[in-house]
Amino acid sequence: MPTGLIKRGGNYSWVIHARDSDGTMLLGDFNDGSLSGSLTFSVAQ
């Protein structure tokens, strides 16, 4: 993760999207089934 991306006092939502490494659309690219649930969190000031 790049330095400075997450900042104090910020609210964030995290979703992971699995992608097939060879680019085959059938196995994960842009398929709703390859998305994780949303995780929401905040960073204290």
Side-chain angles (χ1 to χ4, degrees), residues 11-35:
N11 295 310
Y12 301 92
S13 181
W14 190 278
V15 176
I16 297 172
H17 186 178
R19 297 190 60 145
D20 180 34
S21 63
D22 73 0
T24 304
M25 296 288 269
L26 179 63
L27 300 177
D29 285 356
F30 305 107
N31 179 343
D32 287 342
S34 65
L35 293 172

